[in-house]
Amino acid sequence: MTSKSENSQALMGANYKQKIHDLITDSKDPQIGKLIWANLVEPPNPLVNRLLQRVSSSQALAVVFEQNGLIPKNITEIQNDLGAAQLNRLKNSLKSRIAAIDVKAQVQALESISAAFITSEDHSWPQLIDDLGEESPIGMWVRGELSSSLPIAIVGARACSRYAQRVAYDLAAELASAGATIVSGGAFGVDAAAHEGALSVGGRTIAFMAGGLDHFYPQALAGLQRQIIDGNGALLSEIPIGWRPARWRFLARNRLIAAFSAATVVVEASARSGALATARRALQLGRPVGAVPGPINSALSVGSNDLIKNHAHLISSAEDILEMIATERGELFSFDRLDSVMKIESQNATMGLDEAEQRVFDAFPLSGIASIDKLSEVTGIDHFMVARILSTLELGGYILKTPNGRYQRMGRNS
């Protein structure tokens, strides 16, 4: 006589087999097939990428779950190439996730948050990502407007100094004004400052997230992330909708920032900062890496200073970053465009301002308002002299006095 337990196990087995059959059927649509695989495995997964290079998504499911009649004819070659034991371990690791996949719910979730799932077959796919090879994402979820026009990563510590926040903001604003896309990780500290700097000038910015795009994380930065989506930017993630951020997903996410970007700039990083992992991966990919120098007695700058000692480019201005890209990666972009941008960036050398006037002018945020007190603090010039210089700059059309007695930087005259 069959026990209730045996009947239950038999039912579960039947449901499991039916679920696999349904997934194989759904995955005959190439886009849905990649979406299913992206839900099944924790990225990056070189074994699955190698398998998907050889067969379609539906055939890959048939191979892993041994569905006779659907297995491709070259199965022996595939098993020899990838390893039958590895494929068996992959099957066992996926069993717990099979039941959780609901393709219809995933598609509905995409529509509900106005998101898209893209793969390497899509025209919007960022080609530089493919340099990751077998560690490339199977697909990515996107909310917003994806742009890869002169992508530059600005990264650094979450718990950063005010100096680092200011530098990240200003570099991002200036580069975004020149047409670059600012890339970062959507976190506190340097990441947030970089995104804010790009948005402040109406520029493009991309945030790579470590969780599903149906939830903003961290919640305290939900407003900033909405601004990115509503502006000229996008949130990207290789993590499926409904999945939460985790430490290992932040680490995996760093490789995407490095690969997506033509160059990586570390503004401030301690000896153990995750930003250093992004820089190392960028170097492995042959991308230029720069770092902003920090105080030699600051633990927050140990990692970024070490990068400079180990041949990263020393970055002290947006122009340094553009020169770094033009020198090492110019073939990726229009030299005419870089030349015109760098010409704009270097106009300060012929502005006709004396040293003190130039210092006060450069102390302004590229977007925003500054007070006499703040400019005096940043430049080290006394209040009286700052006030006189501001009057000169105002007469020259470089700044504008606001109704509340502070000053707005207007731009650089030629």
Side-chain angles (χ1 to χ4, degrees), residues 27-40:
S27 66
K28 290 179 181 178
D29 178 318
Q31 195 83 355
I32 296 297
K34 289 289 184 72
L35 184 144
I36 289 171
W37 272 108
N39 273 268
L40 279 175

Side-chain angles (χ1 to χ4, degrees), residues 19-343:
K19 186 62 179 283
I20 292 173
H21 180 272
D22 291 345
L23 290 177
I24 290 174
T25 301
D26 289 339
S27 66
K28 290 179 181 178
D29 178 318
Q31 195 83 355
I32 296 297
K34 289 289 184 72
L35 184 144
I36 289 171
W37 272 108
N39 273 268
L40 279 175
V41 298
E42 192 73 39
N45 195 302
L47 177 63
V48 170
N49 273 331
R50 291 202 298 273
L51 179 59
L52 291 174
Q53 286 171 4
R54 290 162 173 76
V55 295
S56 68
S57 294
S58 59
Q59 288 177 319
L61 286 168
V63 168
V64 172
F65 293 102
E66 302 171 310
Q67 299 296 296
N68 293 328
L70 299 172
I71 294 176
K73 294 179 180 179
N74 61 338
I75 180 61
T76 302
E77 178 187 335
I78 292 171
Q79 288 175 334
N80 290 337
D81 208 10
L82 303 183
Q86 283 185 288
L87 290 171
N88 189 57
R89 282 195 295 272
L90 175 63
K91 178 181 75 172
N92 292 332
S93 71
L94 300 182
K95 286 181 178 178
S96 61
R97 288 187 173 175
I98 284 290
I101 297 179
D102 187 331
V103 174
K104 185 177 180 180
Q106 280 277 327
V107 173
Q108 290 174 342
L110 283 171
E111 294 173 352
S112 69
I113 60 173
S114 300
F117 177 75
I118 62 171
T119 70
S120 57
E121 283 75 40
D122 289 288
H123 72 276
S124 58
W125 182 260
Q127 298 299 317
L128 291 178
I129 286 281
D130 292 336
D131 286 353
L132 288 169
E134 293 177 353
E135 289 193 350
S136 298
I138 295 170
M140 291 191 292
W141 284 260
V142 183
R143 287 185 71 177
E145 183 180 341
L146 182 58
S147 169
S148 56
S149 173
L150 191 57
I152 300 173
I154 296 180
V155 297
R158 289 177 174 83
C160 67
S161 66
R162 291 180 63 187
Y163 162 78
Q165 286 181 308
R166 170 64 185 274
V167 169
Y169 183 97
D170 282 357
L171 288 176
E174 194 160 358
L175 290 167
S177 294
T181 299
I182 303 303
V183 184
S184 202
F188 289 113
V190 167
D191 288 10
H195 293 308
E196 289 168 353
L199 290 170
S200 74
V201 295
R204 293 182 292 268
T205 185
I206 302 291
F208 277 91
M209 311 306 291
L213 298 185
D214 52 328
H215 287 90
F216 294 115
Y217 183 90
Q219 188 59 39
L221 293 180
L224 172 61
Q225 290 166 19
R226 286 193 184 93
Q227 287 179 50
I228 292 172
I229 295 170
D230 294 339
N232 293 322
L235 306 185
L236 266 75
S237 181
E238 64 178 339
I239 304 301
I241 290 174
W243 292 22
R244 294 290 185 265
R247 184 177 181 277
W248 64 88
R249 290 174 184 156
F250 283 102
L251 296 174
R253 179 273 313 269
N254 290 340
R255 83 191 195 287
L256 300 181
I257 296 174
F260 184 91
S261 306
T264 294
V265 177
V266 179
V267 173
E268 186 175 74
S270 66
R272 296 173 60 84
S273 172
L276 298 181
T278 306
R280 284 193 292 270
R281 180 51 68 96
L283 289 169
Q284 290 169 3
L285 292 168
R287 310 286 167 76
V289 171
V292 176
I296 61 173
N297 58 352
S298 170
L300 291 174
S301 296
V302 170
S304 37
N305 286 344
D306 280 348
L307 281 174
I308 295 170
K309 285 194 292 185
N310 287 287
H311 311 300
H313 294 258
L314 190 154
I315 301 299
S316 61
S317 68
E319 184 177 0
D320 289 342
I321 299 170
L322 294 171
E323 287 178 346
M324 174 177 73
I325 295 172
T327 300
E328 295 197 26
R329 300 289 291 181
E331 75 280 2
L332 290 176
F333 305 102
S334 165
F335 272 112
D336 291 340
R337 181 180 178 191
L338 285 172
D339 287 344
S340 65
V341 167
M342 289 168 65
K343 182 178 180 181

Side-chain angles (χ1 to χ4, degrees), residues 356-357 360 381 384-394 399:
E357 291 166 346
V360 171
I381 300 174
F384 177 74
M385 183 60 71
V386 168
R388 286 186 58 185
I389 290 171
L390 289 173
S391 295
T392 301
L393 293 176
E394 187 179 7
I399 63 172

